[in-house]
Every structure is written in C-alpha cells, then in structure tokens.
Amino acid sequence: RLVGFGGERQNVRRTLNIARFTSHYGPEPDTTRDILRDLKRDFPTIIFKDAMMTFNWAKRYDVEHVLAGRWGYGEDYIRDKVKEIARCIQSYKPRLIVLDPTLFHEDERDWITVDGVNFITEEFRQNPSPDYYDPKSNSCGLKYEFALAIRHPFCVWIRGPLEAGKFHDKTVYCGGTEDVPKDKRNQEALYFQLPEGKYALGDSAYKGIDNVTI
C-alpha cells in the first residue's frame, strides 16, 4: 500500500505479491514482520511508516529527493529518520550475528560458507578515493564479508564495510596478504576465528587457504 500497491492491486498470486514486496523492502514479509515486532518492543517510539521507509531506502538506495516524493516527507526529516532507524536495526548485530562455537556439533568439519559481497553506493563526496572503485559493477562500492552456518539457519559473521577496490576477498578473510606473516596479520579476521580442524567453504577466490575447502 505504501509504495503503490493498494488492496485491489494485491489481489494477485502470492508469489507476485512477495516479489513486489521484496523488490521494495528487501526481506520477505514474515521476516519484515519479525523485525518490526522487535523494533516496536525495543524502540516503542518508532512509527510503522518510518520503519518501512527505512527498509525501502536500504533496498532501493534512492536519493532523499526520490523518497520525499514517494513517502510524503521533507528531505530533512527523511535524512534524520532513516539514519535513526537504521542505527536501531544495526544495534541487533552484536547479539544476533555471532560465530559461537557452541552452535556447532562436535562432528561437524565444515562449519561455514564464506563470501565477499560488493554493494554499489553513491560516490563519497567527503572522502573520495579510487579505493572505492568496484570493478564488478564499474562503479563506487563497499565490500562486506559474510559467513553462513552450513547446517544451521544462521548468519554468523559480517565484516565491513571495506573499500570495494582495495581488498580482495582472500585478503579480507586472511587478515592480510600472503607476503605478510600470519602473526603480523589482523588477528580479528575470520581465518583466525575457526578452530583447528574446522573449515569454511568458499569459491575460487579463496584458493590456497589451508582452512577453506573450494
């Protein structure tokens, strides 16, 4: 309804309704409902429309002038409110995104899948740099590293944002390049979080890493 699909336009097959919803807001309706429920519990002053506007911005990444036309607010209100609610959502990360060894069974050898994902952004006017150049999209971008538990329905690791063009996925995972000794690398990197004998699954970008199976 908020983005042009009122009750009459929702009288279509369910898959189309979900596709329209996720195209505007990102998560599926059930997931969005759960996030909204948590936000209402923990931040009771948040307004439903403002929360949906924040989801819409995070998914579509429209400039505030476009959001002003779609949502009926002024640009100043949108700028402040989207940042405020996005920080509220972000506050759940330390509690929910955790690589907890107790999650995994003792007989599990392959714990996680890992990959780096580049997200297109507007150019950073206050901090312009060629390091943000994303060769995959031929635009400005930020890189995030994600890890999902293989046998459990959890995202257990997010690292970022990093400059999309500055760090290779392998460098992010290992905490440094191959010519840097392991004890000199960033010990907070995902490579150092896996116990000995436990492995990640990755694509060819991670070739040559001793605890990654390609």
Side-chain angles (χ1 to χ4, degrees):
R1 178 176 60 86
L2 295 172
V3 290
F5 296 99
E8 293 183 359
R9 299 198 65 192
Q10 294 181 33
N11 189 27
V12 296
R13 64 185 186 278
R14 183 173 183 273
T15 54
L16 179 56
N17 267 331
I18 292 178
R20 288 173 171 176
F21 186 93
T22 57
S23 294
H24 285 85
Y25 298 116
E28 292 191 352
D30 289 345
T31 303
T32 302
R33 177 202 59 205
D34 292 341
I35 298 173
L36 289 170
R37 183 180 297 156
D38 287 348
L39 288 173
K40 189 63 177 177
R41 179 195 65 216
D42 299 328
F43 308 97
T45 60
I46 289 180
I47 299 172
F48 170 78
K49 180 180 177 181
D50 294 349
M52 297 307 292
M53 177 178 67
T54 303
F55 286 127
N56 182 225
W57 167 79
K59 171 62 179 178
R60 305 300 308 169
Y61 198 55
D62 292 317
V63 297
E64 57 193 28
H65 305 305
V66 174
L67 293 173
R70 180 180 303 142
W71 293 91
Y73 293 133
E75 284 82 351
D76 290 343
Y77 180 88
I78 290 172
R79 187 182 313 121
D80 293 340
K81 190 57 63 175
V82 164
K83 288 180 180 179
E84 174 191 332
I85 297 176
R87 290 191 181 102
C88 291
I89 298 172
Q90 185 185 43
S91 70
Y92 293 122
K93 178 180 179 290
R95 176 167 59 88
L96 298 177
I97 313 298
V98 180
L99 183 56
D100 181 2
T102 64
L103 172 67
F104 304 93
H105 301 304
E106 188 174 330
D107 63 343
E108 287 185 72
R109 174 184 179 273
D110 299 315
W111 275 16
I112 59 175
T113 62
V114 61
D115 200 8
V117 182
N118 292 350
F119 293 88
I120 298 174
T121 68
E122 300 288 343
E123 291 192 32
F124 299 97
R125 291 181 296 175
Q126 296 182 344
N127 184 29
S129 171
D131 290 339
Y132 292 106
Y133 174 70
D134 174 19
K136 294 181 180 180
S137 62
N138 196 32
S139 62
C140 185
L142 292 171
K143 179 187 293 290
Y144 287 81
E145 180 183 59
F146 293 91
L148 306 179
I150 295 174
R151 294 170 60 180
H152 311 275
F154 299 109
C155 176
V156 296
W157 179 271
I158 299 177
R159 182 182 176 193
L162 302 167
E163 300 93 326
K166 186 176 182 180
F167 300 102
H168 188 274
D169 290 355
K170 186 176 182 179
T171 304
V172 175
Y173 178 83
C174 293
T177 55
E178 292 183 1
D179 59 331
V180 178
K182 287 185 180 181
D183 61 341
K184 301 295 184 182
R185 298 178 190 174
N186 181 0
Q187 300 298 304
E188 296 182 357
L190 183 53
Y191 173 89
F192 298 102
Q193 310 311 310
L194 289 177
E196 185 176 355
K198 304 302 180 181
Y199 292 81
L201 302 183
D203 59 24
S204 59
Y206 299 89
K207 186 176 180 180
I209 303 176
D210 56 16
N211 64 356
V212 177
T213 303
I214 307 302

